[in-house]
């Protein structure tokens, strides 16, 4: 159950960063209101790069964190005997 909560929290963080990308915001505006912002500027470049890096690195970070937690529990178990 806890693993599912971790996975869903990582997915929601990814969706949060995706919602901050102006291109995706424009698509959502088109879907719901039929209008675009037409900002014409590339202000969302940093948010877009952050979202792409988060998307590609989150599985690796999640696997690393779970591996470290399991290593800690194994070390704790070995120490008790």
């Amino acid at each position: 159950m806890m693993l599912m909560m971790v996975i869903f929290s990582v997915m929601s963080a990814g969706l949060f960063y995706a919602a901050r990308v102006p291109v995706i915001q424009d698509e959502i505006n088109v879907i719901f209101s039929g209008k675009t912002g037409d900002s014409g500027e590339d202000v969302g470049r940093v948010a877009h790069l952050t979202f792409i890096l988060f998307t590609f690195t989150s599985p690796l970070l999640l696997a690393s964190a779970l591996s470290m937690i399991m290593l800690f529990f194994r070390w704790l178990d070995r120490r008790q005997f």
Side-chain angles (χ1 to χ4, degrees):
M1 185 63 99
M2 187 168 177
L3 181 61
M4 291 298 290
M5 290 301 295
V6 169
I7 290 170
F8 284 130
S9 66
V10 169
M11 287 173 52
S12 65
L15 290 174
F16 172 73
Y17 283 114
R20 299 180 82 193
V21 176
V23 176
I24 296 175
Q25 287 177 351
D26 287 343
E27 291 296 324
I28 292 172
N29 286 338
V30 167
I31 290 171
F32 289 116
S33 66
K35 301 175 186 174
T36 61
D38 290 336
S39 61
E41 299 177 13
D42 196 17
V43 294
R45 185 82 174 145
V46 174
H48 196 206
L49 288 174
T50 303
F51 172 69
I52 289 172
L53 288 174
F54 180 79
T55 303
F56 285 128
T57 60
S58 62
L60 180 62
L61 292 174
L62 183 62
S64 299
L66 290 175
S67 175
M68 294 300 279
I69 290 170
M70 291 301 295
L71 182 68
F72 175 73
F73 282 137
R74 287 183 191 144
W75 176 76
L76 215 77
D77 191 38
R78 245 186 290 141
R79 193 169 175 226
Q80 288 178 356
F81 289 113

